[in-house]
Amino acid sequence: MTAMPSPPDPLESLDHATLARLVPDLLLIGQLIDRAGMPALLSEFGMNGMRDVAIEEWQAASPHYAKRMKETLGITGDGVAEIFKGFQLDVGAPPEFMDFRYGVTDHDNGEFWLDHCGALMDVEPMGDGMVKTMCHDIEDPTFPATALATNPRAVVEPIHRPPRTPEGRTPHCHWTVRIDPDVEPAPLPEPAVETASSRIIDFRFAPPAPRDTTGQGKRDDYAGPLLADLVFSEFTSAALVGIIREVYLQMHLVAVGFHQSVRRRSDEGTADRLLAYQSTGIAGVAASRIRDVLDAPGDASGLAAVLDLHPLAGPTAYTGYSSEVSADGRELVVRWDTTADGFADETWLPLLARDGLRPLEAAAQAVDPHWTVERLPGNGSRVEARLALGDEPATEPEEVAVTRISTGSAFTFGLPRNSIPITPV
């Protein structure tokens, strides 16, 4: 599927430094999508149902998006180093919050461990049962689902994982990865077979517009050795735009996997309701973090800058999103073209057309709680809304407040690390 004509991509107007700052935040926002949906799943299906949807949403998404990111960044090869490169650009493993460390023995053998696992910090206070659900039941089938995009003969096995014994043990978990020529190639997980029919899988972007690369990083791709840490400022603006577009699609794929998994064990209405809960929860947290990255004011121009980069909007070629600040600078109109590919997939977007604009309200009110949202009439070819400042501040939605319980919602990234090559030992 080729990208349809659309307004200019807001990413194209960002300077190199802002693009580099945005990448890790978007990766973290993508990881928090899971946190936004889990409370609704727990209430609807109990612990076992929540566990199963969590497994299936990642199995549905990661084999596809890992392959897409490798193609975007010219990552070739089928060894453990290439598997680890995929991990580094995965919304399931945002840098620092999920502090993956890597070792490579040779093409077929390596290991990774987490010096810090923000997800563990979220669930450890809930007891060993919840920890085992995440670190055993969920991770055992989902790490291999990501690895098979690089090599279907990859075997991912734990050395140790939580519950931590002794208490406070570090690293938080430790795993081996090997390429075993004697095992049968792993098939695509059934959830990924279902998502394979989504338009997002084969969606293609027009290349970013050429720009002056003076003062930018020199990495156009991620060929060459595995790096201990990715320093995003070392990539060119074109490469960063490509990475960010793919990160947005990773988020949408996780949402598609979530919706399909819920629908399989319930019905369409329940799937829509729980997906709306998820999208509202992540919408507010995402807007807060993007606002901080941009240091955006709460006026219409600041709100437009935040929403232009929000997961509800990006990537605009896929979502059909655009925005316009009023001539007097007091209001903002946002719209989505419903002929965009994103409206044909089981993403958050069809919910905006059918079931209201609560996620948009949550995003706007995270920038300033006085923003109000009014749906504008249309003929079905677009979703359009006017945002204006009201007199009374809105109360933060329950869905957002619950998502903020995750330590990731307020996580602060540290100083840039060094992109040290990891060579086989």
Side-chain angles (χ1 to χ4, degrees), residues 34 50 234 248 253 317:
D34 181 75
M50 180 195 73
E234 294 181 352
Y248 283 133
L253 259 172

Side-chain angles (χ1 to χ4, degrees), residues 244-264:
I244 292 170
R245 287 171 170 174
E246 292 300 324
V247 172
Y248 283 133
L249 289 188
Q250 291 187 18
M251 298 185 203
H252 290 293
L253 259 172
V254 170
V256 171
F258 178 95
H259 187 271
Q260 292 181 350
S261 179
V262 172
R263 191 191 64 233
R264 278 194 295 273

Side-chain angles (χ1 to χ4, degrees), residues 7 74-75 90 100-101 104 115 158-159 180 202 231 246 275 347:
I75 300 172
D90 189 311
F100 280 67
R101 305 287 91 199
V104 177
D115 280 347
I159 297 174
D180 188 341
D202 295 320
V231 178
E246 292 300 324
L275 186 64
T347 66

